[in-house]
Amino acid sequence: MLKHFISLDDISSETFSDLLMVASYLKRRRAQGITEHALSGKTIALLFEKPSLRTRLSFEVAMAELGGRSLYIRGEEVGMGVREPVRDVARVLSRYVQGIMARVFQHQTVTDLARHGTVPVINGLSDEGHPCQALADLLTIQEHFGTVAGLRVVFVGDANNVCRSLARACILAGTQLVLACPKQYAFSAKDIASFTSAWGTQVLQLHDPAAAVAGAHVLYSDVWTSMGQEAEREERLRAFQGYQINEALIAQARPDARIMHCLPAHRDEEITDGAVEHPRSIVFDQAENRVHAQKAVLRLLMATDAQAVIAAARS
Ligand code: CP
Ligand code: NVA
């Protein structure tokens, strides 16, 4: 059973597929107006060291719609590792709430919360990954193509947290992830080795965006400068010139290719306004699906009926 949701490295293909199925099932039930109570009486702490719109609000909505409550706490107020050690925060929170979601600078903070606490921990974005985003992304791809297997997903930009989790999600789903990036912003040898050793599949890295998007079902973009990398902004702006999703690049992909972005988008940097507003842009479907995907994670981690909901979603 799922204990934490910190990295897709720890998730089997079967669990990933169950999460997608449960997310879809809960989305359908919501559309039918069915109310859920599986997390009634349960509370999650939402701990944010960085800003957020989607992650915070989609978790709050998901918890409320599952009958539970959420408590938002800002990192500056808690001072993890500064005001007190992460292991103490983990132990205190475990006495108050039934789950913790944390958005952190250092990935180790989220693993330490899991190591020292006694409740499920969810990674709401770290410097290493953004697994909640990747789950919502694959749900969105599945809705648009009817499958998550056998597609070509091209991420144009930086081998960052969003790209790393997307690559792992694609591998779990049996689909190809191609990264189009400047050479110095490619995946590290350690990342590549981890993709290969865990799943025997390699992520393809190319440096010519036009060649990368040929035959692409999905063109995906994220900011060139992630939160916490602000000092590198000027250098990154220069390095990523030519790695923009725009109408000319879209024209090189399949005629049914969809445009994705985790948001927030910096228009006319990594993506043009025309690409965000393109008829085949699905960025707001992605944003909506954060609610449904996270409901599946919360239900499997925190509810007592996890097996029953998986069975119901499968049938
Ligand atoms: N995509 C995403 O995680 O958005 P926020 O930073 O607004 O949460
Ligand atoms: N890569 C971006 C994603 C924001 C949702 C960041 O870490 O800032």
Side-chain angles (χ1 to χ4, degrees):
M1 262 323 284
L2 203 56
K3 224 174 139 206
H4 301 288
F5 192 71
I6 292 177
S7 163
L8 296 179
D9 276 353
D10 314 325
I11 307 260
S12 66
S13 295
E14 192 193 7
T15 301
F16 191 75
S17 156
D18 285 344
L19 283 164
L20 288 176
M21 238 175 328
V22 171
S24 246
Y25 170 73
L26 295 176
K27 183 172 180 175
R28 286 196 303 277
R29 283 169 64 88
R30 185 202 210 215
Q32 290 160 7
I34 300 170
T35 46
E36 311 280 345
H37 307 282
L39 295 186
S40 166
K42 300 207 169 163
T43 304
I44 190 166
L46 306 177
L47 219 162
F48 281 86
E49 292 186 338
K50 300 176 184 176
S52 169
L53 171 66
R54 282 146 289 273
T55 305
R56 175 183 174 178
L57 272 291
S58 55
F59 266 107
E60 290 198 7
V61 169
M63 271 310 278
E65 290 187 3
L66 290 172
R69 276 182 306 252
S70 44
L71 296 175
Y72 169 74
I73 341 166
R74 288 166 60 86
E76 299 94 300
E77 197 170 337
V78 179
M80 277 193 296
V82 178
R83 189 166 180 263
E84 59 187 308
V86 177
R87 63 183 188 281
D88 288 3
V89 175
R91 287 177 288 180
V92 172
L93 288 181
S94 298
R95 303 285 180 111
Y96 296 162
V97 295
Q98 289 72 46
I100 301 171
M101 190 242 62
R103 166 166 288 195
V104 298
F105 283 98
Q106 306 285 336
H107 187 74
Q108 195 178 334
T109 305
V110 85
T111 56
D112 281 351
L113 285 169
R115 187 146 67 96
H116 298 289
T118 54
V119 297
V121 173
I122 300 170
N123 178 3
L125 181 145
S126 68
D127 56 342
E128 281 189 19
H130 198 0
C132 295
Q133 180 70 54
L135 183 64
D137 293 342
L138 271 285
L139 177 63
T140 313
I141 291 172
Q142 178 174 270
E143 289 173 351
H144 281 269
F145 288 97
T147 176
V148 284
L151 305 176
R152 182 176 173 97
V153 176
V154 181
F155 187 100
V156 183
D158 180 22
N160 64 10
N161 44 10
V162 168
C163 183
R164 188 175 290 105
S165 291
L166 183 67
R168 291 186 169 139
C170 284
I171 294 168
L172 285 173
T175 219
Q176 184 185 35
L177 189 282
V178 180
L179 169 62
C181 65
K183 286 202 172 70
Q184 66 275 35
Y185 292 100
F187 281 119
S188 65
K190 185 171 157 248
D191 273 325
I192 294 293
S194 85
F195 297 143
T196 313
S197 65
W199 296 292
T201 314
Q202 237 175 350
V203 164
L204 191 58
Q205 307 202 84
L206 300 173
H207 307 295
D208 173 4
V213 304
H217 295 82
V218 170
L219 273 63
Y220 196 118
S221 170
D222 180 18
V223 293
W224 292 332
T225 306
S226 286
M227 293 180 279
Q229 298 174 331
E230 289 76 8
E232 299 170 26
R233 179 171 155 78
E234 292 308 316
E235 188 186 330
R236 285 172 169 270
L237 273 177
R238 279 192 299 277
F240 283 97
Q241 289 310 310
Y243 291 89
Q244 181 190 61
I245 295 190
N246 53 36
E247 292 80 339
L249 194 66
I250 295 169
Q252 318 252 7
R254 285 170 55 103
D256 60 348
R258 304 300 203 272
I259 321 307
M260 298 182 74
H261 193 302
C262 56
L263 302 178
H266 292 172
R267 283 167 168 80
D268 296 325
E269 286 187 19
E270 77 278 0
I271 191 163
T272 56
D273 187 61
V276 174
E277 305 299 337
H278 193 279
R280 282 183 274 118
S281 162
I282 55 172
V283 303
F284 298 105
D285 294 344
Q286 283 178 265
E288 175 188 331
N289 279 338
R290 296 292 305 276
V291 171
H292 311 299
Q294 283 153 202
K295 269 189 189 169
V297 173
L298 291 167
R299 191 87 181 243
L300 264 54
L301 283 177
M302 291 173 64
T304 49
D305 69 344
Q307 286 310 331
V309 78
I310 293 171
R314 279 187 187 153
S315 64

